[in-house]
């Protein structure tokens, strides 16, 4: 800034006022300063400025799988709120690896971000606690805290799974297969619980031979579904715990060449034109990000020592029907 001031023949304070668009600076002086800025290629150091004002001006977002559109939408929701408050967002991906998550969280903390939003990859959250982060504000998304208190934003995993499975039962299906992600994951456990509860509510008991858990991607879901649909007493419908499971199931149904009703969590592009009977549990992923972002802002802006109890909010789901009945 001093170099710009010297080039323009003004004080550093005048340069600061021009960059802040202060109306007290004359047009001629403003033009001289902006010309000097262009000639010298000056860029304000936002990190240094934010630290001087009492923060980094950045928040961190750690997700488990950026290839999944759910996390892209969540990130857009967080970014929307962050931008409204003049904050930048640093985005990191763990690929569902807890060790990688620990490293990314430690790296963000070392960069002195103002706070973090994390989608946990595992069930051990000690590295996300106040002691590990020295009191840095943190919010968890999609999965609740374990062994610690923290704000969190969840989806109605149980209710959505129960409603979608119940719809399959109402459509006349009593043999419904289950394609699920690892049971250790909160979402996998809750959605399996909803699947089972819908059967119990209808006086049915799921056939354990039709249950496949621990699936991680489209490929594993497709292979599991082909196995289920090719065997004796094959199910007439499948419930899938996320969009990757559903996409694998769609490929399997095409491969076996017979009609199978599908229900699954997470809407996805082209679901309405596939031509298969699809029951989809939909929700606003952007809203999850917005709520998590606002919770984090509340924590960042809380007065030192102000008691703010851990909060939990649940984003509702709704069922959408696609294709023939």
């Amino acid at each position: 800034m001093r170099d710009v001031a010297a080039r323009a023949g003004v004080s550093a304070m005048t340069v600061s006022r021009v960059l802040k668009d202060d109306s007290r600076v004359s047009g001629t002086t403003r033009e001289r300063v902006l010309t000097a800025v262009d000639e010298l290629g000056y860029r304000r150091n936002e990190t240094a400025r934010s630290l001087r004002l009492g923060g980094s001006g950045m928040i961190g977002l750690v997700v488990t799988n950026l290839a999944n559109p759910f996390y892209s939408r969540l990130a857009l929701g967080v970014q929307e709120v962050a931008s409204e408050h003049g904050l930048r967002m640093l985005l990191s991906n763990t690929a569902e690896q807890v060790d990688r998550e620990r490293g990314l969280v430690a790296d963000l903390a070392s960069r002195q971000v103002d706070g973090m939003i994390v989608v946990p990859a595992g069930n051990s959250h000690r590295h996300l606690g106040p002691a590990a982060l020295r009191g840095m504000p943190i919010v968890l998304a999609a999965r609740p805290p374990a062994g610690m208190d923290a704000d969190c934003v969840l989806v109605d995993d149980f209710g959505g799974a129960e409603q979608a499975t119940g719809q399959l039962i109402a459509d006349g299906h009593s043999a419904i297969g289950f394609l699920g992600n690892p049971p250790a994951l909160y979402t996998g456990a809750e959605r399996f619980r909803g699947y089972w509860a819908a059967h119990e509510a209808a006086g049915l008991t799921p056939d354990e031979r039709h249950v496949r858990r621990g699936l991680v991607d489209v490929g594993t879901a497709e292979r599991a579904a082909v196995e289920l649909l090719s065997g004796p007493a094959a199910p007439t419908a499948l419930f899938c715990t996320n969009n990757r499971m559903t996409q694998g199931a769609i490929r399997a149904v095409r491969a076996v060449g017979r009609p199978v009703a599908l229900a699954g969590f997470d809407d996805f592009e082209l679901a309405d034109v596939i031509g298969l009977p699809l029951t989809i549990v939909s929700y606003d992923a952007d809203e999850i990000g917005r709520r998590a972002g606002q919770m984090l802002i509340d924590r960042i802006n809380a007065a030192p020592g102000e008691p703010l109890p851990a909060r939990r909010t649940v984003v509702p789901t709704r069922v959408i029907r696609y294709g023939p009945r």
Side-chain angles (χ1 to χ4, degrees):
M1 192 177 291
R2 287 193 295 268
D3 292 339
V4 172
R7 173 71 67 101
V10 299
S11 68
M13 178 60 73
T14 298
V15 174
S16 177
R17 287 174 175 167
V18 169
L19 296 178
K20 293 177 180 176
D21 202 23
D22 193 320
S23 61
R24 290 176 292 179
V25 182
S26 70
T28 302
T29 300
R30 183 186 306 278
E31 186 64 30
R32 283 210 317 275
V33 169
L34 294 178
T35 298
V37 165
D38 288 340
E39 291 173 350
L40 295 176
Y42 171 76
R43 295 292 183 273
R44 186 166 61 185
N45 187 329
E46 292 290 352
T47 300
R49 176 175 178 271
S50 296
L51 289 171
R52 188 169 65 250
L53 295 175
S56 69
M58 297 183 293
I59 62 172
L61 172 61
V62 180
V63 301
T64 58
N65 182 9
L66 270 177
N68 189 331
F70 164 76
Y71 294 110
S72 301
R73 301 305 313 183
L74 185 151
L76 288 173
V78 173
Q79 186 177 49
E80 178 184 330
V81 173
S83 297
E84 290 173 355
H85 291 83
L87 297 170
R88 297 290 183 265
M89 182 184 76
L90 297 178
L91 176 61
S92 300
N93 181 58
T94 67
E96 294 280 6
Q97 298 175 22
V98 178
D99 288 342
R100 186 171 180 180
E101 176 183 295
R102 290 193 186 99
L104 290 170
V105 167
D107 180 67
L108 287 170
S110 71
R111 295 175 187 274
Q112 298 183 307
V113 294
D114 295 345
M116 280 186 238
I117 297 169
V118 179
V119 179
N123 294 321
S124 175
H125 298 164
R126 183 173 300 178
H127 59 291
L128 302 175
L133 297 180
R134 298 183 179 180
M136 176 180 291
I138 189 165
V139 174
L140 303 190
R143 300 167 190 177
M148 58 177 278
D149 288 329
D151 295 334
C152 66
V153 182
L154 306 175
V155 176
D156 185 10
D157 297 293
F158 171 83
E162 183 181 35
Q163 186 179 1
T165 306
Q167 185 62 65
L168 290 177
I169 294 171
D171 289 342
H173 299 280
S174 57
I176 303 172
F178 180 88
L179 301 178
N181 42 3
L185 293 178
Y186 172 82
T187 53
E190 285 295 287
R191 293 172 188 180
F192 181 70
R193 198 166 65 87
Y195 159 85
W196 200 278
H199 282 80
E200 289 186 337
L204 301 172
T205 300
D207 189 335
E208 295 277 7
R209 296 173 300 174
H210 294 160
V211 173
R212 298 291 184 274
R213 306 179 76 180
L215 310 177
V216 296
D217 54 23
V218 173
T220 55
E222 180 181 2
R223 289 190 291 273
V226 167
E227 180 189 3
L228 281 177
L229 299 176
S230 302
T236 60
L238 297 173
F239 174 76
C240 312
T241 56
N242 63 33
N243 50 14
R244 290 170 294 168
M245 305 297 117
T246 305
Q247 290 165 26
I250 290 170
R251 293 182 179 182
V253 170
R254 296 295 192 195
V256 300
R258 63 183 184 78
V260 178
L262 299 176
F265 244 88
D266 307 331
D267 208 350
F268 56 92
E269 288 188 5
L270 303 181
D272 57 331
V273 298
I274 289 174
L276 294 174
L278 281 175
T279 300
I280 295 295
V281 182
S282 182
Y283 52 89
D284 189 346
D286 293 52
E287 180 63 13
I288 298 172
R290 285 191 291 266
R291 292 192 190 187
Q294 190 56 58
M295 279 184 164
L296 187 62
I297 296 298
D298 293 344
R299 287 283 173 189
I300 292 171
N301 292 337
E306 177 184 343
L308 189 59
R311 299 160 295 171
R312 174 180 295 204
T313 182
V314 178
V315 173
T317 59
R318 62 191 180 98
V319 167
I320 301 174
R321 310 294 301 279
Y322 293 127
R325 297 287 169 265

